[in-house]
Amino acid sequence: MYDVVIVGGGPAGLTAATYVRRAGKSVLVIEKDGFGGQIAWSPRVENFPGFVSISGAELGDRFLQQAMEQGAEVELEEVSEITGTVGDRTVKCLSGAEFKARTVIIAAGAKPRMLGLSGEEALVGNGVCFCAVCDGIFYKDKPVAVAGGGNSALQDAMLLSEKCSKVYLIHRRDSFRGESKLVEALRKKDNVEFILNSAINALNGDTELRSLLLRTPEGERELQVSGLFVAVGHKPDIAAFSPLMALDDGGYADSDESCTTMSPDIFAAGDCRRKKVHQLTTAVADGAAAALAACEYIDSL
Ligand code: NAP
């Protein structure tokens, strides 16, 4: 039996693993896709203390390396369910694998949100994309659009402006949620056009995206683009664990500052937890808090 099983190998989960090991307890981190989490898809991280500039993939690798050097065990599996009683949990995976745990930290992050337009799902991979780092290269020298106004949208637009003939940055408001430094850098790019106070009303194209229909303050506008990079935030994917912890209307885990949920042996950390600021720095802070709370709980048993 592990002292702590962590669901999710992003910044929160891997930081938690390092802290658990430093407290002398056993820990297993289970990740379904790739260690590093969402940040692994960020081309450049410039707001994580200690690094002036580092690629998200390298930062994610460093989190993993640090946790493993401390003795954390890792598995690539998709967790489907957590059963058992307080202090004696079984973490079940889709493959059939099962792991016993005294405590569980859910650090499962969040998955990209879609715009909710007709035909959007069918066009995923054929024009509609969620990751400029992964898919930008397929739109080399072609016109593309980015939807969103946060750091992800700004970073995607910056990366795509170096590959694509034209980048339309479509945002529903007149100001951006993301960093103004990135906005200023984008304003200086000749091939980037801001389309503000605007919404995408429809996607045209059956098997491949051909154009977007926009509602702009000046009226309807059709944009001929080969790709649309949707960067309108993320939503947590933790509904399967809701019997163990309360979720709010947005699907985020309800937990206190120590990341403790309504079950004393279940903790929620990082982007899947309800909090005001979802950032890399607050994810690692959650990882530390959840790990220390889990260790304290184990010591109290
Ligand atoms: P975000 O900051 O939540 O931004 C989402 C954007 O999408 C907002 O501008 C929002 O508009 C817009 N939006 C939401 N729903 C929409 C809809 N249905 N239609 C059109 N637009 C919609 O998400 P994010 O950019 O993915 O970033 C997530 C977190 O990761 C943030 O805290 C961010 O700072 C962080 N991050 C950090 C780095 C880094 O380098 N350190 C890189 C990427 C992301 P409104 O503004 O009008 O709400």
Side-chain angles (χ1 to χ4, degrees):
M1 178 182 265
Y2 289 96
D3 289 319
V4 185
V5 166
I6 299 173
V7 181
L14 292 171
T15 302
T18 296
Y19 270 73
V20 170
R21 287 300 302 145
R22 302 284 298 167
K25 311 243 183 288
S26 60
V27 63
L28 170 70
V29 185
I30 306 177
E31 164 59 44
K32 68 171 176 183
D33 293 325
F35 288 92
Q38 275 174 57
I39 202 64
W41 305 113
S42 246
R44 206 126 292 283
V45 177
E46 296 181 339
N47 59 5
F48 191 72
F51 296 93
V52 175
S53 180
I54 184 169
S55 83
E58 189 184 344
L59 189 59
D61 279 351
R62 289 185 185 218
F63 289 142
L64 177 61
Q65 192 190 355
Q66 189 170 11
M68 289 182 73
E69 274 183 15
Q70 293 291 336
E73 292 177 40
V74 298
E75 291 282 352
L76 265 178
E77 293 275 0
E78 181 163 355
V79 174
S80 53
E81 200 188 354
I82 298 168
T83 59
T85 52
V86 173
D88 180 10
R89 301 290 183 183
T90 302
V91 179
K92 297 185 172 177
C93 302
L94 284 181
S95 68
E98 293 187 0
F99 302 96
K100 299 284 283 174
R102 286 193 173 82
T103 62
V104 180
I105 298 176
I106 310 285
K111 64 179 184 188
R113 214 181 268 149
M114 297 181 77
L115 289 167
L117 295 169
S118 160
E120 187 179 1
E121 262 190 78
L123 288 170
V124 170
N126 292 306
V128 174
C129 309
F130 299 93
C131 176
V133 175
C134 330
D135 300 330
I137 194 67
F138 301 124
Y139 300 92
K140 192 170 183 297
D141 300 326
K142 293 180 180 169
V144 296
V146 175
N151 274 334
S152 298
L154 299 175
Q155 285 197 345
D156 282 1
M158 183 60 77
L159 187 82
L160 293 165
S161 72
E162 280 147 29
K163 296 183 171 74
C164 304
S165 56
K166 176 92 185 177
V167 179
Y168 299 98
L169 179 55
I170 303 160
H171 181 37
R172 64 183 178 185
R173 291 191 293 122
D174 63 354
S175 60
F176 291 95
R177 192 183 284 264
E179 291 176 354
S180 47
K181 200 168 172 188
L182 281 169
V183 177
E184 288 322 308
L186 282 168
R187 280 194 205 285
K188 293 186 184 130
K189 294 265 179 179
D190 290 337
N191 63 340
V192 176
E193 181 180 330
F194 289 12
I195 304 180
L196 302 179
N197 295 312
S198 299
I200 303 172
N201 272 354
L203 308 175
N204 295 323
D206 296 326
T207 52
E208 266 188 3
L209 181 69
R210 280 186 292 103
S211 69
L212 313 177
L213 210 55
L214 306 186
R215 181 187 40 74
T216 74
E218 295 77 36
E220 217 170 58
R221 176 174 172 190
E222 186 170 4
L223 276 188
Q224 309 290 331
V225 291
S226 306
L228 168 65
F229 288 79
V230 180
V232 296
H234 295 80
K235 62 174 185 192
D237 192 12
I238 52 172
F241 311 124
S242 66
L244 302 170
M245 53 192 195
L247 306 184
D248 70 7
D249 290 346
Y252 290 89
D254 212 354
S255 63
D256 65 12
E257 273 297 289
S258 71
C259 297
T260 308
T261 67
M262 68 185 192
S263 310
D265 58 338
I266 307 286
F267 303 83
D271 279 7
C272 67
R273 181 170 93 83
R274 187 183 62 191
K275 56 184 172 174
K276 191 159 178 221
V277 181
H278 285 107
Q279 284 281 316
L280 190 50
T281 41
T282 59
V284 300
D286 273 7
L292 295 175
C295 292
E296 199 176 304
Y297 173 74
I298 293 164
D299 290 340
S300 77
L301 287 177

